[in-house]
Amino acid sequence: MLQMVTTSYFSLFGGILDKDALLPAPQNISILSINMKHFLTWSPVVVPGDPVRYSVEFQGEYERDYANESWIPISECSCIIVTECNVTEDISASVPYNLRVRANQGSRTSKWSTLKGLFNRITTFLTPPVMKVIADGYHLLVELEELGPGFQFHIFYWRKGQEREVHQKTVKEISSVVHLDIMEAGADYCVKAQTYVETINRSSNFSQTQCVGVQGGDQTVLSFPGVLALPFLAWKMSRVFHYSCCPVVVLPDALVIVMGSQNKLLSEHIILALFCLSLPCASAFVGRESAREGSSSPT
């Protein structure tokens, strides 16, 4: 009987201890930093029961050297259920930072797990810019991916075959398309670029070189004979318009004007012009051949 009571007592006491025991601490603490975006990550703590939540704190150079090694909680990463924390806004200076994370489940918590080694944002990985080189007529253009404030792009371009004469352009603010140069017909131009962040004084690797060109046949050149032909083309177009709007008609006998002893008809074109000024062109239209046939038939 005494043995059963003792066993039950220790079982109950052990259950209480297990309930209030520490959770396993998060493992594999690391930081992923690309293009000045910093994320602290860790492996999940797997235990039965309610979901495990995590809290993250950071310690900068000031806290470490002048504030008794205090830690500052990151409010956006307090009691979260995901296993990563965006610490970009908290890593605000180019100095060494320390970070740590712990797990909690109800009243149970784990020990703090600290990042191995200090993190400085100057070690962020800068990717080459995503770009697209465009030949718009004779204009050499480039489209660049927007990476946000604080990013600049060094653009290098040259005429193919003249690699020693490389031109450089620095772009601090990207609108949509950057104009680089005016290209010559029949020539190819090549472009490459790199990302630059002034606050950490670092550049990325170069992007892949892209080349475009303008062929001589792509341009529209108006030669001297073409210039001479313009007046003729204009006159020809005016005649086409004239006959499509106000066709030539044969005048009725009533419009015959007697001048002296001879019957002379004024120019059909002059009378027609008078008709076009006073009447709609459509009402003045009479077929030339049909009018002639009507006037030649006997009365």
Side-chain angles (χ1 to χ4, degrees):
M1 182 68 178
L2 179 61
Q3 184 178 2
M4 293 179 59
V5 173
T6 304
T7 303
S8 299
Y9 172 78
F10 279 107
S11 298
L12 178 62
F13 183 71
I16 295 174
L17 286 179
D18 290 339
K19 183 177 180 180
D20 294 333
L22 290 174
L23 287 175
Q27 301 296 317
N28 302 318
I29 313 299
S30 63
I31 191 161
L32 176 65
S33 179
I34 300 177
N35 292 335
M36 300 295 285
K37 302 292 190 296
H38 320 301
F39 293 87
L40 187 72
T41 64
W42 56 90
S43 298
V45 174
V46 180
V47 293
D50 295 334
V52 176
R53 298 181 177 274
Y54 308 93
S55 297
V56 179
E57 296 180 346
F58 75 93
Q59 182 187 76
E61 186 178 54
Y62 176 82
E63 291 78 23
R64 186 168 51 254
D65 296 340
Y66 304 103
N68 298 322
E69 297 185 350
S70 59
W71 292 80
I72 300 177
I74 300 178
S75 58
E76 294 82 5
C77 298
S78 178
C79 295
I80 58 176
I81 60 175
V82 295
T83 57
E84 70 173 26
C85 172
N86 186 346
V87 297
T88 303
E89 297 299 326
D90 305 282
I91 309 296
S92 57
S94 299
V95 298
Y97 283 83
N98 204 355
L99 297 118
R100 66 183 186 179
V101 58
R102 73 176 179 183
N104 64 80
Q105 183 190 53
S107 60
R108 302 173 65 192
T109 60
S110 71
K111 293 182 178 180
W112 288 100
S113 290
T114 305
L115 181 68
K116 292 182 179 180
L118 302 178
F119 169 73
N120 194 319
R121 68 180 185 178
I122 64 174
T123 62
T124 188
F125 178 74
L126 298 178
T127 61
V130 177
M131 70 173 190
K132 179 181 180 182
V133 181
I134 305 169
D136 185 5
Y138 289 95
H139 298 278
L140 179 62
L141 310 175
V142 61
E143 290 181 354
L144 292 167
E145 177 189 18
E146 175 63 50
L147 293 179
F151 284 84
Q152 302 178 19
F153 300 95
H154 296 321
I155 307 172
F156 301 84
Y157 60 97
W158 62 94
R159 180 171 175 171
K160 199 169 184 179
Q162 300 179 0
E163 284 75 9
R164 293 185 178 181
E165 299 180 9
V166 177
H167 305 277
Q168 180 179 350
K169 187 170 187 176
T170 298
V171 179
K172 296 184 178 180
E173 294 182 1
I174 297 181
S175 53
S176 56
V177 178
V178 179
H179 183 273
L180 297 180
D181 206 346
I182 302 296
M183 299 184 291
E184 296 182 12
D188 291 339
Y189 288 77
C190 299
V191 182
K192 66 180 181 179
Q194 61 180 173
T195 306
Y196 175 73
V197 180
E198 186 175 10
T199 54
I200 61 175
N201 193 26
R202 283 190 56 225
S203 301
S204 72
N205 295 329
F206 283 104
S207 65
Q208 290 187 348
T209 301
Q210 299 181 29
C211 299
V212 295
V214 177
Q215 301 301 323
D218 291 343
Q219 59 179 337
T220 301
V221 178
L222 190 60
S223 61
F224 182 71
V227 174
L228 295 179
L230 281 178
F232 172 77
L233 293 175
W235 175 81
K236 191 67 177 176
M237 291 301 298
S238 67
R239 302 307 297 170
V240 172
F241 176 78
H242 171 77
Y243 285 110
S244 63
C245 177
C246 302
V248 176
V249 298
V250 176
L251 300 177
D253 295 338
L255 294 178
V256 175
I257 300 178
V258 179
M259 299 180 64
S261 59
Q262 297 179 352
N263 293 338
K264 293 184 178 180
L265 294 177
L266 290 178
S267 172
E268 294 180 351
H269 296 287
I270 298 177
I271 299 300
L272 182 59
L274 295 175
F275 268 81
C276 287
L277 291 174
S278 59
L279 297 175
C281 291
S283 63
F285 176 76
V286 180
R288 179 188 294 270
E289 296 300 328
S290 60
R292 286 182 178 178
E293 292 176 1
S295 62
S296 61
S297 61
T299 53

